């Protein structure tokens, strides 16, 4: 979009040749740019049901080249990617609302190894949906001080007669140091539906 002329220029039409098989008819999520502004990435959510969990795409602005980079088709990797990719170096971090070994969602990264080389997928955390963990991660991850933070829309409390009110968690980029920071309470607030925001609170960080 060119604000000086109000002109809109389509860059890619989802669902065409070279796009993801099934479930690839919608962009659906936000995009994120590399620091040099030359490349953007985005998640494509699951719109086909079954075992199709969406995908991660890349668009090179200088060459106008779209690449369906990685397809989430394995339940161990996650089903239903959502939010905006978080870029750290050549790695794209994200979450899936379902799938994983406990079917409660996953946290992962996909490393972009460049044109002509297959990307590398790494599962960092599979959510448990118990008192010690959340379930159904929602929104995007944020990076503050080299630590990743995120929310789940369920889990955190068991025996409540429902899926649980949700949680806030942290994890290191290499998958270590997972820690549940906060359990939401049905009596005051529950089921967060958006990503966290980092703000300065008296010299610290809050969200």
């Amino acid at each position: 979009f060119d604000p000086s002329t109000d002109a809109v220029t389509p860059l890619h039409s989802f669902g065409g040749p070279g796009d993801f098989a099934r479930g690839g008819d919608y962009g659906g999520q936000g995009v994120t740019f590399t620091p040099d502004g030359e490349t953007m990435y985005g998640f494509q959510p699951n719109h086909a049901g079954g075992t199709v969990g969406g995908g991660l795409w890349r668009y090179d602005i200088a060459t106008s080249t779209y690449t369906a980079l990685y397809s989430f088709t394995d339940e161990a990797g996650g089903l239903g990617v959502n939010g905006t990719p978080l870029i750290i170096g050549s790695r794209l971090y994200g979450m899936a609302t379902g799938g994983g070994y406990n079917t409660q969602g996953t946290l992962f990264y996909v490393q972009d190894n460049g044109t002509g080389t297959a990307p590398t997928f790494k599962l960092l955390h599979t959510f448990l949906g118990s008192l010690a963990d959340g379930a159904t991660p929602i929104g995007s991850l944020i990076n503050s001080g080299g630590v990743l933070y995120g929310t789940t829309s369920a889990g955190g409390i068991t025996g409540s007669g429902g899926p649980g009110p949700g949680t806030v968690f942290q994890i290191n980029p290499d998958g270590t140091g997972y820690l549940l920071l906060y359990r939401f309470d049905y009596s005051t607030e529950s089921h967060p539906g958006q990503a966290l925001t980092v703000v300065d609170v008296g010299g610290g960080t809050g969200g």
Side-chain angles (χ1 to χ4, degrees):
F1 175 73
D2 186 345
S4 65
T5 62
D6 291 335
V8 177
T9 303
L11 298 179
H12 177 74
S13 179
F14 288 94
D19 215 332
F20 296 98
R22 299 179 62 205
D25 300 332
Y26 304 88
Q29 307 289 314
V31 300
T32 186
F33 287 82
T34 52
D36 60 10
E38 293 297 320
T39 306
M40 61 176 156
Y41 294 89
F43 287 128
Q44 200 161 268
N46 175 19
H47 281 274
T51 59
V52 180
L56 171 68
W57 54 264
R58 178 185 67 214
Y59 188 86
D60 296 305
I61 296 174
T63 61
S64 300
T65 303
Y66 170 89
T67 303
L69 191 63
Y70 187 83
S71 183
F72 297 88
T73 58
D74 184 355
E75 289 192 7
L79 300 176
V81 292
N82 69 98
T84 302
L86 171 65
I87 299 178
I88 302 179
S90 60
R91 295 176 178 177
L92 293 307
Y93 288 80
M95 300 183 290
T97 57
Y101 300 119
N102 297 291
T103 70
Q104 302 294 320
T106 64
L107 189 155
F108 57 85
Y109 72 70
V110 177
Q111 182 165 318
D112 186 354
N113 294 317
T115 302
T117 305
T120 303
F121 173 86
K122 183 172 177 62
L123 181 65
L124 298 177
H125 183 75
T126 181
F127 291 90
L128 302 175
S130 65
L131 182 63
D133 202 0
T136 317
I138 195 76
S140 307
L141 294 163
I142 61 172
N143 178 12
S144 179
V147 178
L148 309 184
Y149 297 88
T151 61
T152 68
S153 62
I157 294 178
T158 57
S160 59
T167 67
V168 178
F169 64 86
Q170 73 176 48
I171 190 171
N172 294 325
D174 63 359
T176 62
Y178 179 84
L179 179 64
L180 199 64
L181 298 175
Y182 183 74
R183 298 179 179 88
F184 289 94
D185 189 329
Y186 276 121
S187 64
T188 55
E189 75 282 296
S190 62
H191 306 304
Q194 302 295 329
L196 294 170
T197 299
V198 177
V199 295
D200 187 11
V201 183
T205 57

